[in-house]
Amino acid sequence: MASFRRAQLQSSLLKSGEFKKFMSLVPGLVEMVQNFVQCKFKKAFEHLESMKVDVLLDYYMSKHQKDLYQKIHELAVVQYFVPFSHAKISRMAEAFGVSQNEMENRLVSLIERGAVQARIDNVKKVVIAKDTDLRVETYEKALDIGNQYVRDLRRLLLRMSLQANDFAVTISQKNSGGDSKGPVKAGDMNPL
């Protein structure tokens, strides 16, 4: 749940007959995943909290419980906010079953790390998604590619011009017999 999207959870866990057998051995696990997939985060996290004692008793999982739970909560907030251009923090807190201040702190943390592209309006207590103008990004990428193409083309034209004009660099090179070779042509030189 900490790394899968909801659609991946549904296809990999809930619809997989083999994995569903293993999930049925842990009471409440199937319901928790179903609630998570259906965006019923409050119920999903209630199930998750009820399993906390079992997770802490597990030798391997106990070391990672805090980080794992935090990642699951963060991924849920990110997935919750994706389809919205703005959302009230109070409604988000209600959906996750936490206080408004706790939800605001989670959002601030996610925004600071770049996981959520948004800003918080403290007056209205609303999270507003940052508009990314895809046209501007596309134009900037096209301009960068065009500039790189122009640089490469100028280098190629300079090299072709040097070769066409039989430009040569004279370097005194000595072979094993002590004779110096003649001028080295630009085409014979290894490019840097």
Side-chain angles (χ1 to χ4, degrees), residues 139-162:
Y139 286 137
E140 287 174 355
K141 286 180 186 176
L143 186 62
D144 289 342
I145 292 170
N147 288 336
Q148 179 64 39
Y149 179 74
V150 168
R151 283 191 300 272
D152 292 345
L153 190 59
R154 284 186 177 157
R155 289 181 190 141
L156 183 62
L157 288 172
L158 176 64
R159 183 167 188 216
M160 288 174 51
S161 177
L162 291 173

Side-chain angles (χ1 to χ4, degrees), residues 16-184:
S16 171
E18 295 174 22
F19 204 78
K20 203 167 185 178
K21 291 176 190 175
F22 293 112
M23 288 177 51
S24 65
L25 297 174
V26 180
L29 186 60
V30 174
E31 295 167 30
M32 180 183 65
V33 174
Q34 285 174 339
N35 287 329
F36 194 86
V37 167
Q38 296 169 357
C39 299
K40 297 177 182 175
F41 296 115
K42 187 175 181 178
K43 289 182 181 179
F45 291 131
E46 286 172 358
H47 282 289
L48 193 63
E49 283 300 315
S50 70
M51 295 172 57
K52 188 174 187 177
V53 174
D54 295 331
V55 172
L56 288 173
L57 290 174
D58 187 284
Y59 178 75
Y60 299 104
M61 294 290 291
S62 63
K63 299 174 188 174
H64 308 288
Q65 180 271 332
K66 189 174 182 180
D67 291 333
L68 188 62
Y69 274 42
Q70 181 180 351
K71 287 183 181 184
I72 291 170
H73 281 276
E74 289 174 355
L75 183 65
V77 172
V78 170
Q79 290 183 8
Y80 178 90
F81 187 68
V82 166
F84 299 108
S85 62
H86 64 280
K88 290 184 179 180
I89 296 174
S90 60
R91 293 187 90 185
M92 289 181 74
E94 183 181 317
F96 286 94
V98 296
S99 69
Q100 189 169 338
N101 287 336
E102 186 177 344
M103 180 54 68
E104 192 170 337
N105 290 337
R106 286 184 187 177
L107 287 167
V108 167
S109 173
L110 290 169
I111 290 169
E112 285 176 346
R113 284 186 287 141
V116 174
Q117 299 297 320
R119 60 184 175 85
I120 297 175
D121 184 347
N122 273 335
V123 175
K124 296 178 182 176
K125 296 294 184 187
V126 175
V127 183
I128 303 167
K130 288 184 180 177
D131 291 331
T132 54
D133 193 355
L134 294 177
R135 287 187 302 169
V136 171
E137 288 180 19
T138 304
Y139 286 137
E140 287 174 355
K141 286 180 186 176
L143 186 62
D144 289 342
I145 292 170
N147 288 336
Q148 179 64 39
Y149 179 74
V150 168
R151 283 191 300 272
D152 292 345
L153 190 59
R154 284 186 177 157
R155 289 181 190 141
L156 183 62
L157 288 172
L158 176 64
R159 183 167 188 216
M160 288 174 51
S161 177
L162 291 173
Q163 286 177 346
N165 292 317
D166 203 28
F167 182 77
V169 177
T170 56
I171 299 174
S172 102
Q173 295 179 346
K174 299 199 178 208
N175 61 12
S176 60
D179 305 351
S180 65
K181 290 186 177 180
V184 177

